[in-house]
Amino acid sequence: MIQSRRGEFYGQTNKIINLEGIILTDTVYTHDKVDWHYHENAYFTFILEGSVIEGNKKETYNCSAGSLLFHNWEEPHYNIKPEGLTRGFHIEIEKNWFHKLEFNAADLEGSNYLDSLNLKFLMYKIFWETKLHDSTTPLSIQVLLLESLAQMQQHDKIKSIKKPAWVSEVKMILNDQFSDNLTLEYLSQSLNIHPVHLSRDFSKYFNSGLGEYIRKLKVEKALQLISEKKLDLTAIAHECGFSDQSHFTRCFKAVNGINPSLHRKILSR
Protein backbone atom coordinates (compact mmCIF):
# COMPACT_ATOMS: atom_id res chain seq x y z
CA MET A 1 0.00 0.00 0.00
CA ILE A 2 1.24 3.50 -0.88
CA GLN A 3 2.35 5.79 1.92
CA SER A 4 1.93 9.53 1.29
CA ARG A 5 4.66 11.67 2.80
CA ARG A 6 4.17 14.97 4.60
CA GLY A 7 2.58 17.61 2.38
CA GLU A 8 1.87 15.05 -0.36
CA PHE A 9 -1.63 15.00 -1.85
CA TYR A 10 -2.74 13.89 -5.27
CA GLY A 11 -3.13 17.02 -7.34
CA GLN A 12 -1.81 20.47 -8.11
CA THR A 13 -0.65 22.24 -4.96
CA ASN A 14 -1.75 25.88 -4.91
CA LYS A 15 -0.04 26.66 -1.63
CA ILE A 16 1.80 24.88 1.16
CA ILE A 17 2.72 26.37 4.53
CA ASN A 18 5.08 24.62 6.91
CA LEU A 19 4.77 25.59 10.54
CA GLU A 20 6.35 23.86 13.51
CA GLY A 21 4.68 20.43 13.44
CA ILE A 22 1.80 21.58 11.19
CA ILE A 23 1.64 21.44 7.37
CA LEU A 24 -1.18 23.24 5.55
CA THR A 25 -1.85 22.42 1.91
CA ASP A 26 -4.31 23.89 -0.59
CA THR A 27 -4.66 21.36 -3.43
CA VAL A 28 -6.72 21.01 -6.61
CA TYR A 29 -7.27 17.27 -7.08
CA THR A 30 -6.25 16.04 -10.53
CA HIS A 31 -6.51 12.22 -10.17
CA ASP A 32 -9.83 10.59 -11.10
CA LYS A 33 -9.04 7.83 -8.63
CA VAL A 34 -6.44 7.36 -5.92
CA ASP A 35 -6.18 3.73 -4.84
CA TRP A 36 -5.77 2.56 -1.25
CA HIS A 37 -3.13 4.59 0.56
CA TYR A 38 -2.34 6.11 3.92
CA HIS A 39 -0.58 9.23 5.15
CA GLU A 40 2.40 9.62 7.39
CA ASN A 41 0.63 12.19 9.59
CA ALA A 42 -2.80 12.65 11.10
CA TYR A 43 -4.71 15.25 9.10
CA PHE A 44 -7.97 17.05 8.35
CA THR A 45 -9.35 17.29 4.81
CA PHE A 46 -11.76 20.17 4.22
CA ILE A 47 -13.42 20.32 0.80
CA LEU A 48 -13.41 23.92 -0.43
CA GLU A 49 -14.87 23.36 -3.91
CA GLY A 50 -16.40 20.50 -5.88
CA SER A 51 -16.84 16.98 -4.55
CA VAL A 52 -15.01 13.74 -3.88
CA ILE A 53 -15.92 10.21 -2.80
CA GLU A 54 -13.76 8.85 -0.02
CA GLY A 55 -13.85 5.34 1.41
CA ASN A 56 -12.17 3.53 4.26
CA LYS A 57 -12.51 0.03 5.70
CA LYS A 58 -15.82 0.90 7.40
CA GLU A 59 -17.65 3.52 5.34
CA THR A 60 -17.84 5.53 2.13
CA TYR A 61 -18.45 9.27 2.22
CA ASN A 62 -19.83 11.48 -0.54
CA CYS A 63 -18.13 14.78 0.21
CA SER A 64 -19.29 18.09 -1.25
CA ALA A 65 -17.99 21.60 -0.57
CA GLY A 66 -17.93 22.18 3.18
CA SER A 67 -17.39 18.50 4.05
CA LEU A 68 -14.81 17.78 6.73
CA LEU A 69 -12.88 14.54 7.31
CA PHE A 70 -10.25 13.52 9.83
CA HIS A 71 -7.77 10.67 9.38
CA ASN A 72 -5.37 9.49 12.00
CA TRP A 73 -1.87 8.49 10.88
CA GLU A 74 -1.55 5.37 8.76
CA GLU A 75 -5.33 5.04 8.31
CA PRO A 76 -5.94 3.43 4.85
CA HIS A 77 -8.48 4.98 2.49
CA TYR A 78 -9.14 5.66 -1.20
CA ASN A 79 -10.55 8.58 -3.24
CA ILE A 80 -12.69 8.92 -6.35
CA LYS A 81 -13.08 12.34 -7.96
CA PRO A 82 -16.16 13.05 -10.11
CA GLU A 83 -15.83 15.30 -13.16
CA GLY A 84 -15.14 18.95 -12.52
CA LEU A 85 -12.95 20.99 -10.20
CA THR A 86 -12.36 19.63 -6.70
CA ARG A 87 -10.24 21.56 -4.24
CA GLY A 88 -9.23 20.44 -0.78
CA PHE A 89 -7.59 22.14 2.17
CA HIS A 90 -5.48 19.86 4.38
CA ILE A 91 -4.09 20.33 7.85
CA GLU A 92 -1.45 17.74 8.71
CA ILE A 93 -0.34 17.33 12.31
CA GLU A 94 2.93 15.63 13.14
CA LYS A 95 3.14 13.39 16.20
CA ASN A 96 5.70 15.63 17.87
CA TRP A 97 3.20 18.52 17.78
CA PHE A 98 0.78 16.50 19.91
CA HIS A 99 3.58 15.47 22.26
CA LYS A 100 5.01 18.95 22.60
CA LEU A 101 1.67 20.42 23.60
CA GLU A 102 0.83 17.40 25.77
CA PHE A 103 -2.38 16.87 23.80
CA ASN A 104 -3.89 13.43 24.28
CA ALA A 105 -4.53 12.15 20.75
CA ALA A 106 -5.66 8.69 21.90
CA ASP A 107 -9.33 9.50 21.22
CA LEU A 108 -8.67 10.63 17.65
CA GLU A 109 -8.19 7.18 16.15
CA GLY A 110 -9.60 6.11 12.80
CA SER A 111 -11.18 7.96 9.89
CA ASN A 112 -14.20 10.11 10.58
CA TYR A 113 -16.67 12.31 8.73
CA LEU A 114 -17.24 15.34 10.95
CA ASP A 115 -20.63 17.03 10.70
CA SER A 116 -20.13 19.61 13.47
CA LEU A 117 -20.99 23.11 12.24
CA ASN A 118 -18.63 24.72 14.76
CA LEU A 119 -15.75 22.56 13.54
CA LYS A 120 -16.40 23.52 9.93
CA PHE A 121 -16.39 27.22 10.75
CA LEU A 122 -13.07 26.78 12.56
CA MET A 123 -11.65 25.14 9.41
CA TYR A 124 -12.69 28.15 7.34
CA LYS A 125 -10.94 30.43 9.84
CA ILE A 126 -7.73 28.39 9.59
CA PHE A 127 -7.97 28.55 5.79
CA TRP A 128 -8.41 32.33 5.90
CA GLU A 129 -5.35 32.60 8.16
CA THR A 130 -3.25 30.92 5.45
CA LYS A 131 -4.28 33.68 3.06
CA LEU A 132 -3.32 36.44 5.50
CA HIS A 133 -0.03 34.69 6.29
CA ASP A 134 1.45 37.43 8.45
CA SER A 135 3.55 37.32 11.62
CA THR A 136 0.53 36.36 13.73
CA THR A 137 -0.56 33.48 11.48
CA PRO A 138 1.44 30.67 13.20
CA LEU A 139 0.01 31.58 16.62
CA SER A 140 -3.54 31.99 15.30
CA ILE A 141 -3.45 28.67 13.46
CA GLN A 142 -2.10 26.81 16.47
CA VAL A 143 -4.84 28.23 18.72
CA LEU A 144 -7.57 27.49 16.16
CA LEU A 145 -6.25 23.95 15.63
CA LEU A 146 -6.21 23.22 19.36
CA GLU A 147 -9.77 24.53 19.59
CA SER A 148 -10.74 22.32 16.63
CA LEU A 149 -9.30 19.20 18.26
CA ALA A 150 -11.02 20.00 21.55
CA GLN A 151 -14.30 20.57 19.69
CA MET A 152 -13.85 17.26 17.90
CA GLN A 153 -13.40 15.42 21.19
CA GLN A 154 -16.44 17.19 22.64
CA HIS A 155 -18.46 16.33 19.52
CA ASP A 156 -17.49 12.67 19.87
CA LYS A 157 -18.62 12.67 23.50
CA ILE A 158 -22.00 14.15 22.54
CA LYS A 159 -22.37 11.54 19.77
CA SER A 160 -21.77 8.76 22.29
CA ILE A 161 -24.56 9.93 24.60
CA LYS A 162 -27.83 8.08 24.26
CA LYS A 163 -30.22 10.61 22.75
CA PRO A 164 -34.01 10.84 22.76
CA ALA A 165 -35.71 10.28 19.40
CA TRP A 166 -36.56 13.96 18.95
CA VAL A 167 -32.85 14.89 18.58
CA SER A 168 -32.39 13.14 15.24
CA GLU A 169 -35.89 14.25 14.15
CA VAL A 170 -35.25 17.93 14.82
CA LYS A 171 -31.88 17.71 13.07
CA MET A 172 -33.58 16.37 9.94
CA ILE A 173 -36.27 19.08 10.06
CA LEU A 174 -33.73 21.87 10.52
CA ASN A 175 -31.42 20.58 7.78
CA ASP A 176 -34.37 20.38 5.35
CA GLN A 177 -36.26 23.54 6.33
CA PHE A 178 -33.69 25.96 7.77
CA SER A 179 -34.51 28.56 5.09
CA ASP A 180 -38.19 28.63 6.12
CA ASN A 181 -39.61 30.84 8.87
CA LEU A 182 -39.60 28.14 11.51
CA THR A 183 -41.38 28.73 14.81
CA LEU A 184 -40.98 27.10 18.20
CA GLU A 185 -44.65 26.11 18.09
CA TYR A 186 -44.24 24.37 14.72
CA LEU A 187 -41.13 22.49 15.82
CA SER A 188 -42.57 21.38 19.17
CA GLN A 189 -45.77 20.17 17.48
CA SER A 190 -43.80 18.33 14.79
CA LEU A 191 -41.67 16.63 17.44
CA ASN A 192 -44.53 16.14 19.91
CA ILE A 193 -42.58 17.64 22.79
CA HIS A 194 -43.19 20.70 24.95
CA PRO A 195 -41.64 23.98 23.69
CA VAL A 196 -39.93 24.51 27.05
CA HIS A 197 -38.38 21.03 26.85
CA LEU A 198 -37.11 21.70 23.32
CA SER A 199 -35.70 25.13 24.22
CA ARG A 200 -34.05 23.88 27.40
CA ASP A 201 -32.46 20.69 26.06
CA PHE A 202 -31.54 21.66 22.49
CA SER A 203 -28.11 23.08 23.37
CA LYS A 204 -27.25 19.92 25.31
CA TYR A 205 -27.09 17.95 22.03
CA PHE A 206 -26.19 20.65 19.50
CA ASN A 207 -23.70 22.80 21.45
CA SER A 208 -25.71 25.83 20.37
CA GLY A 209 -29.05 27.51 21.01
CA LEU A 210 -31.89 26.74 18.58
CA GLY A 211 -31.93 30.14 16.89
CA GLU A 212 -28.14 30.29 16.69
CA TYR A 213 -28.03 26.79 15.19
CA ILE A 214 -30.51 27.74 12.45
CA ARG A 215 -28.44 30.82 11.56
CA LYS A 216 -25.33 28.64 11.36
CA LEU A 217 -27.11 26.23 8.99
CA LYS A 218 -27.99 29.19 6.76
CA VAL A 219 -24.41 30.44 6.77
CA GLU A 220 -23.10 26.92 6.05
CA LYS A 221 -25.36 26.72 3.00
CA ALA A 222 -24.21 30.18 1.89
CA LEU A 223 -20.58 29.05 2.09
CA GLN A 224 -21.38 26.08 -0.16
CA LEU A 225 -23.15 28.29 -2.70
CA ILE A 226 -20.31 30.82 -2.72
CA SER A 227 -17.88 27.98 -3.54
CA GLU A 228 -20.01 26.99 -6.56
CA LYS A 229 -19.55 30.50 -8.07
CA LYS A 230 -22.94 30.40 -9.82
CA LEU A 231 -25.01 32.95 -7.86
CA ASP A 232 -24.38 36.50 -6.74
CA LEU A 233 -24.57 37.33 -3.05
CA THR A 234 -28.11 38.74 -3.28
CA ALA A 235 -29.37 35.49 -4.79
CA ILE A 236 -27.46 33.47 -2.18
CA ALA A 237 -29.04 35.51 0.63
CA HIS A 238 -32.50 34.74 -0.76
CA GLU A 239 -31.71 31.04 -1.34
CA CYS A 240 -30.55 30.63 2.26
CA GLY A 241 -33.61 32.27 3.82
CA PHE A 242 -32.18 35.63 4.85
CA SER A 243 -34.62 38.55 4.73
CA ASP A 244 -32.21 40.68 2.68
CA GLN A 245 -28.53 40.98 1.82
CA SER A 246 -27.87 43.24 4.81
CA HIS A 247 -29.26 40.60 7.17
CA PHE A 248 -27.18 37.97 5.36
CA THR A 249 -23.97 40.00 5.75
CA ARG A 250 -24.58 40.62 9.47
CA CYS A 251 -25.23 36.94 10.23
CA PHE A 252 -22.34 35.73 8.07
CA LYS A 253 -19.92 38.10 9.79
CA ALA A 254 -21.26 37.23 13.26
CA VAL A 255 -20.56 33.53 12.62
CA ASN A 256 -17.31 33.80 10.65
CA GLY A 257 -15.76 37.13 11.57
CA ILE A 258 -15.60 38.30 7.93
CA ASN A 259 -18.27 39.32 5.43
CA PRO A 260 -19.33 37.11 2.48
CA SER A 261 -17.75 39.31 -0.19
CA LEU A 262 -14.36 39.01 1.51
CA HIS A 263 -14.76 35.22 1.78
CA ARG A 264 -15.51 35.05 -1.95
CA LYS A 265 -12.39 37.11 -2.65
CA ILE A 266 -10.19 34.94 -0.39
CA LEU A 267 -11.51 31.74 -1.94
CA SER A 268 -10.48 32.90 -5.41
CA ARG A 269 -6.86 33.68 -4.45
Side-chain angles (χ1 to χ4, degrees), residues 26-58:
D26 179 350
T27 301
V28 173
Y29 301 152
T30 55
H31 293 53
D32 294 335
K33 182 176 181 180
V34 179
D35 212 344
W36 287 95
H37 64 285
Y38 61 88
H39 292 254
E40 179 181 352
N41 297 313
Y43 72 100
F44 290 95
T45 291
F46 191 46
I47 304 301
L48 295 171
E49 300 179 63
S51 62
V52 68
I53 299 167
E54 181 155 316
N56 57 44
K57 292 179 179 179
K58 296 179 181 178

Side-chain angles (χ1 to χ4, degrees), residues 39-44 70-74 91-95 98 108:
H39 292 254
E40 179 181 352
N41 297 313
Y43 72 100
F44 290 95
F70 177 82
H71 298 288
N72 214 325
W73 40 79
E74 300 186 354
I91 306 169
E92 288 184 75
I93 312 164
E94 296 179 342
K95 290 181 182 180
F98 288 108
L108 304 179

Side-chain angles (χ1 to χ4, degrees), residues 6-18:
R6 65 192 303 277
E8 181 184 1
F9 293 90
Y10 295 90
Q12 176 185 326
T13 299
N14 293 331
K15 189 170 188 176
I16 183 167
I17 296 176
N18 286 285

Side-chain angles (χ1 to χ4, degrees), residues 65 100 107 163 231:
K100 184 176 179 180
D107 297 332
K163 303 177 185 64
L231 301 175

